Amino acid sequence: MSSVRHFLSVTDLAPHEVREVIARGRALKAGERSQALAGKSIAILFEKPSLRTKLSFEVGINRLGGHPIYFSEDEIGLGIREPVQDVARVMSRMADAVIIRTFSHALIEEFASAATIPVVNALTDGEHPCQTLADLQTIEECRGSLNDVKVAYIGDGNNVAASLALGLASTGGRLTIASPPGYELPEEISADAGEINAKSGGSLKQIVDPIEAVRDADIVYTDVWTSMGQEAERQVRLAAFEGYQVNPELLDHAPDGVRFMHDLPAHPGEEISDGMLTDPRSIVFDQAENRLHAQAGLMHFLFSGA
Ligand code: NVA
């Protein structure tokens, strides 16, 4: 049996490995030099648009001495031009790892089942685990520790919320999610987070009222109401999420010192008010920068075996 490690979900790293990756990300950010990917070719296969993820992976691979090879959606036609598992088998014979952004989480699982090189999830409809590593690094930097952090996530129980719930569970954080009925986290994610929390001492609460969610929060986090692939539902979602905007008035209900996070891209006028990204309480651009460092930490861990 192959011992290759994939990163499709936050749960593919043990809690101590999550902390190890973040520590490496922080060290690399602080100037540690590494050629951990020297001589390695990393395939990047994206079926959805991307700014931060593409840039951060390509820059990160270059800094670690590796070579990124980018494929856009129509170049490969995963599962259309060629069966998913065949693409995985071919890539495994030439590349050293593959980073995939796609829609269906089942597709990346199918790809990984046939791959003999590490596969990294750079966003599926189910999870965004690389974002969570950057989020945890950002929270640790800004608070000095991940211990006991209280996060309020306002909005859609989507891919970003799912990975955040699993990541905070791993590190023993306390997460309250405020969503309109029908837009909560998927049940299996809540159940998985619950099991992890039982060991880590973290907690996950799902409520409806955003003001109640932020009352004792160290961090207020939101993401778009309409994710990529859900464009046809946009009008229904705009109506459902009315009252869930993160704006300075909502943050005023949180304790002094609260910080605001968003994985970007943002839709001002929808999940945030205009100017929220540059509000003095926002750490959104530190969070965006940390995609580079946290993913470098992940690749150092996963691709180099170091
Ligand atoms: N929930 C968003 C995240 C984008 C980085 C989406 O899936 O479109």
Side-chain angles (χ1 to χ4, degrees):
M1 206 174 106
S2 149
S3 62
V4 64
R5 298 274 308 263
H6 303 303
F7 186 59
L8 309 187
S9 165
V10 172
T11 56
D12 288 329
L13 293 181
H16 74 274
E17 292 173 333
V18 169
R19 289 184 183 266
E20 204 178 305
V21 164
I22 293 168
R24 176 70 68 183
R26 292 190 67 179
L28 291 166
K29 184 176 183 177
E32 181 183 282
R33 300 180 96 82
S34 166
Q35 288 292 296
L37 301 188
K40 295 196 189 287
S41 300
I42 315 296
I44 303 178
L45 208 168
F46 277 17
E47 298 195 305
K48 288 178 179 175
S50 170
L51 164 64
R52 277 151 295 278
T53 310
K54 180 178 175 186
L55 185 61
S56 55
F57 269 114
E58 290 214 9
V59 172
I61 291 165
N62 277 308
R63 284 194 189 171
L64 293 174
H67 175 56
I69 304 158
Y70 181 80
F71 295 91
S72 62
E73 181 184 1
D74 31 346
E75 280 178 276
I76 295 195
L78 254 189
I80 300 164
R81 184 170 163 268
E82 193 160 355
V84 172
Q85 296 201 354
D86 288 350
V87 177
R89 291 183 187 111
V90 171
M91 285 193 157
S92 297
R93 296 293 182 102
M94 298 186 213
D96 295 288
V98 54
I99 295 160
I100 300 181
R101 167 170 285 203
T102 187
F103 290 89
S104 149
H105 195 77
L107 185 149
I108 202 171
E109 288 177 336
E110 186 185 349
F111 190 106
S113 72
T116 53
I117 53 175
V119 179
V120 168
N121 177 358
L123 181 76
T124 63
D125 293 346
E127 272 205 55
H128 198 1
C130 293
Q131 178 67 54
T132 295
L133 294 176
D135 297 343
L136 294 173
Q137 177 171 340
T138 309
I139 294 170
E140 189 179 83
E141 281 173 2
C142 121
R143 292 181 72 246
S145 158
L146 284 166
N147 295 343
D148 238 14
V149 62
K150 295 191 261 321
V151 178
Y153 177 95
I154 312 298
D156 192 17
N158 61 14
N159 42 12
V160 168
S163 290
L164 186 68
L166 296 169
L168 285 169
S170 272
T171 52
R174 289 152 67 184
L175 175 62
T176 301
I177 299 184
S179 310
Y183 293 93
E184 299 90 352
L185 280 181
E187 268 170 33
E188 60 278 16
I189 296 287
S190 303
D192 288 350
E195 272 179 34
I196 303 168
N197 276 325
K199 292 182 207 138
S200 68
S203 65
L204 168 63
K205 211 164 45 161
Q206 299 208 67
I207 64 173
V208 174
D209 182 2
I211 295 180
E212 189 187 330
V214 305
R215 263 196 222 291
D216 66 348
D218 302 309
I219 304 284
V220 173
Y221 195 128
T222 192
D223 182 27
V224 293
W225 294 338
T226 304
S227 285
M228 289 180 269
Q230 297 174 330
E231 291 76 8
E233 298 171 31
R234 181 157 181 268
Q235 291 308 325
V236 175
R237 286 175 166 270
L238 283 179
F241 285 100
E242 206 186 321
Y244 283 81
Q245 185 181 81
V246 175
N247 49 39
E249 296 71 46
L250 180 68
L251 286 195
D252 288 344
H253 291 278
D256 290 344
V258 68
R259 293 288 176 261
F260 166 65
M261 296 176 72
H262 189 309
D263 52 287
L264 302 177
H267 296 165
E270 296 185 18
E271 81 280 1
I272 56 161
S273 57
D274 282 340
M276 198 55 236
L277 299 180
T278 50
D279 184 281
R281 292 169 285 190
S282 167
I283 51 171
V284 163
F285 296 106
D286 295 327
Q287 181 187 1
E289 179 190 334
N290 281 339
R291 295 295 304 279
L292 170 62
H293 308 300
Q295 286 161 196
L298 175 72
M299 291 190 288
H300 198 285
F301 178 81
L302 214 57
F303 301 170
S304 74

